[in-house]
Amino acid sequence: MTIHEDRARPAGLLTLITAGLALWLGACSAPLPPPTEVPGEDGLGGGLQATSLAVDWYSPSGMYPGKGYSSVTGEIQGTCIRADLAPATIGPASADYRIDVASNSRELAQKLGVSSEASIGFGAFSASAKASYTRDQQANSSAVYIIARADIQGPSVNLINPRLMTAAEDPAGDDNAAAYRDDYLAFFSKCGDRYLDSAVTGATYRGVVRVETSSESEKTAVLAEVRARYGTAKGASSVERTVSELSSRYNVSVVEFYDGVLPDSFAKDPETLIANATEFPALFQKKCSGQLISSAQLSCLKVAVFQDYRKLTLTIPDTGAVTRARQAFDQMAEYGLEYQALLNDAMFARDNPHLFKDTAADLAAQAAEAGRRLTQARNSLEACSDNLRACLPAPDLTPPLPDPVTLTRPSWISVGQATSCADYRLKFRASGTSRPDHELPDGGYQLYVGTAAPHTARLWCRGMNTATPAEYLSLVGSNVSVYRDPHFLARPSRC
């Protein structure tokens, strides 16, 4: 996977700053919904339907044809089958291109295909570039994200005649077929409930334009504008106009994720990002067309398809315990995600106290409580991953994990539609918040300007703690002036 980020800052001077570049081959976990459970004849939970499950190809996780996979924890497991791999040649391919909008880090994770457990730093896919990026964004609760997506899919490479290894075939000497039949929990701990049956060739591009706002009301206004005007835009030209307009009014940064192929160049501004998205099919054609994908050459891969072990045997194991473990694990991951969001909100409020009603002591207490619960949830997930029996029927937690909705969140200060720096200061003071730790700093504020059709504009406010704060325009270009002196031109030898 390739990630590249640039920031464009219009306040004072529009600059393009490269924030980082890291290279990976593959992508983070993007599991489909878990397969349907069907009741068994013994009434203990029965067996899983022999359905397949697809996740983004992510080489650092240890993916390889034949590898096991746990749909409970999202971890790559050991190899318990024996098979050959049928190669495939990549031919011409077309791309599916579209635009998404996300209003918070959780929506961003979903649209980038990052699982809940990876979002809180757990599991084999938590080290992927997308998962790392979404975790970084969790502390930025006031950002809006515009996501350009391009997907290319080619032929698959498939296993031939897969079978569970016997004790004589397994390097560890395990009889995997017997374990599957007689001790499914032990089999699951080693092999998971699925194996990597095929890999789909192709590539994906994700370009994210992050629009930074400074308040909840400002964020709401940006979201409404983007969704109303361009939320369903399909063409690159309309999206390019959108991000160009936003770049002139807000702090904007860009980040790119390449899966399956590496780019020729990286975006340093929103316009180039949109161009890279539309030119992605040509890049894939250049890098991958005509390649033979085999066990010796696993490249240009987009998706790993895991098949249920039931496809290999007529035995129907009792999976009721796995079903209960999955339910407990999913709840812990969901709670952990909410605790992470609470912690990030409290930290954002601590760094921007003038935007919130809470005292510094209240915010510190909120952050400490959310941090304790997040650590507790991670520890429980780790125990469940190491031993599936730890999830049955639920982890023995002391104290138990509370429902995140019962925890206190920071309270935003709303100033409505301020039309000037003085008006913003007046509305802020009218909110009843006048403690020393809630003084308004000088800086960029989103204001509503115009009369017939007011629209938002980001102005620099100076003297926000005086009776007469003043507005300034942030320059988008260099502040250079040229003066022509006719007297100097007439007498060039004199200064």
Side-chain angles (χ1 to χ4, degrees):
M1 174 183 294
T2 301
I3 175 176
H4 186 269
E5 180 175 6
D6 276 83
R7 301 171 185 267
R9 304 191 177 194
L13 179 65
L14 182 62
T15 58
L16 302 174
I17 306 173
T18 301
L21 173 63
L23 300 180
W24 286 271
L25 175 63
C28 54
S29 170
L32 299 178
T36 305
E37 303 286 350
V38 294
E41 295 178 358
D42 55 10
L44 297 178
L48 291 170
Q49 292 181 346
T51 54
S52 60
L53 183 150
V55 302
D56 287 352
W57 186 273
Y58 180 49
S59 295
S61 68
M63 282 184 175
Y64 193 83
K67 277 282 191 177
Y69 177 81
S70 168
S71 63
V72 174
T73 64
E75 296 274 10
I76 300 297
Q77 304 293 103
T79 302
C80 299
I81 67 168
R82 190 180 186 90
D84 296 319
L85 186 66
T89 301
I90 299 177
S94 59
D96 174 33
Y97 173 82
R98 70 179 187 273
I99 299 296
D100 285 332
V101 178
S103 61
N104 53 54
S105 61
R106 189 164 187 174
E107 288 184 6
L108 176 66
Q110 292 172 345
K111 295 181 185 301
L112 292 180
V114 179
S115 65
S116 297
E117 56 268 22
S119 294
I120 61 173
F122 177 82
F125 300 96
S126 62
S128 70
K130 292 177 186 175
S132 299
Y133 178 71
T134 54
R135 286 198 299 275
D136 290 342
Q137 300 311 300
Q138 288 169 349
N140 191 352
S141 59
S142 60
V144 174
Y145 305 90
I146 302 174
I147 306 156
R149 303 165 54 105
D151 292 271
I152 299 173
Q153 182 166 316
S156 298
V157 289
N158 304 283
L159 290 180
I160 302 174
N161 300 321
R163 63 186 184 277
L164 289 170
M165 287 191 290
T166 64
E169 296 172 317
D170 192 325
D174 296 332
D175 190 336
N176 298 289
Y180 182 81
R181 179 186 65 245
D182 301 329
D183 190 356
Y184 186 68
L185 279 181
F187 176 88
F188 190 100
S189 297
K190 175 187 176 182
C191 313
D193 56 339
R194 287 171 170 76
Y195 64 95
L196 208 167
D197 181 59
S198 62
V200 181
T201 61
T204 62
Y205 173 88
R206 300 291 183 267
V208 181
V209 179
R210 184 181 67 190
V211 183
E212 300 175 6
T213 64
S214 60
S215 69
E216 189 174 30
S217 58
E218 182 177 322
K219 176 179 178 178
T220 301
V222 172
L223 271 173
E225 177 182 352
V226 172
R227 285 174 172 160
R229 297 174 58 192
Y230 305 101
T232 59
K234 298 295 183 181
S237 59
S238 60
V239 177
E240 185 175 344
R241 287 195 300 271
T242 304
V243 295
S244 295
E245 293 177 10
L246 292 173
S247 298
S248 66
R249 292 154 45 199
Y250 298 93
N251 288 342
V252 171
S253 63
V254 299
V255 60
E256 294 181 301
F257 302 96
Y258 288 84
D259 301 328
V261 295
L262 300 180
D264 292 326
S265 62
F266 297 99
K268 296 183 178 181
D269 53 70
E271 293 78 12
T272 307
L273 183 146
I274 299 302
N276 285 352
T278 56
E279 295 168 3
F280 191 60
L283 173 65
F284 179 80
Q285 192 77 8
K286 174 183 176 182
K287 302 282 187 177
C288 298
S289 182
Q291 282 202 30
L292 177 66
I293 309 302
S294 65
S295 58
Q297 180 68 26
L298 291 174
S299 61
C300 298
L301 297 177
K302 174 184 177 183
V303 174
V305 180
F306 292 91
Q307 184 61 252
D308 196 303
Y309 285 108
R310 282 190 59 189
K311 183 179 179 181
L312 307 180
T313 176
L314 296 177
T315 302
I316 301 178
D318 176 15
T319 60
V322 175
T323 300
R324 296 192 297 273
R326 177 184 290 114
Q327 292 170 345
F329 188 91
D330 288 347
Q331 184 184 55
M332 286 187 290
E334 184 72 16
Y335 275 18
L337 197 60
E338 291 294 335
Y339 296 147
Q340 181 74 72
L342 285 167
L343 176 61
N344 294 330
D345 287 347
M347 295 176 65
F348 178 82
R350 181 196 62 189
D351 296 337
N352 300 273
H354 61 284
L355 300 176
F356 296 85
K357 298 178 182 179
D358 312 79
T359 65
D362 290 339
L363 294 175
Q366 292 172 23
E369 176 66 9
R372 284 194 298 269
R373 298 306 184 182
L374 177 59
T375 299
Q376 190 180 2
R378 283 175 173 165
N379 290 341
S380 300
L381 289 170
E382 187 68 38
C384 189
S385 178
D386 292 340
N387 182 3
L388 201 63
R389 289 180 173 85
C391 292
L392 303 176
D396 183 14
L397 302 178
T398 306
L401 288 173
D403 191 324
V405 299
T406 64
L407 302 184
T408 305
R409 295 176 180 271
S411 179
W412 284 86
I413 296 172
S414 177
V415 298
Q417 297 186 359
T419 57
S420 66
C421 298
D423 187 37
Y424 191 104
R425 178 177 181 273
L426 180 65
K427 287 181 167 61
F428 176 83
R429 295 176 65 86
S431 69
T433 304
S434 57
R435 295 189 302 274
D437 60 342
H438 283 73
E439 293 296 325
L440 286 173
D442 293 353
Y445 288 83
Q446 201 68 17
L447 305 176
Y448 286 78
V449 299
T451 53
H455 61 278
T456 59
R458 191 173 185 84
L459 302 180
W460 184 270
C461 295
R462 181 180 180 184
M464 286 299 281
N465 288 308
T466 68
T468 57
E471 293 95 8
Y472 292 83
L473 291 175
S474 295
L475 297 176
V476 178
S478 301
N479 186 16
V480 177
S481 61
V482 178
Y483 174 67
R484 181 177 181 179
D485 185 350
H487 301 289
F488 175 78
L489 293 176
R491 293 172 293 175
S493 61
R494 298 180 58 185
C495 296

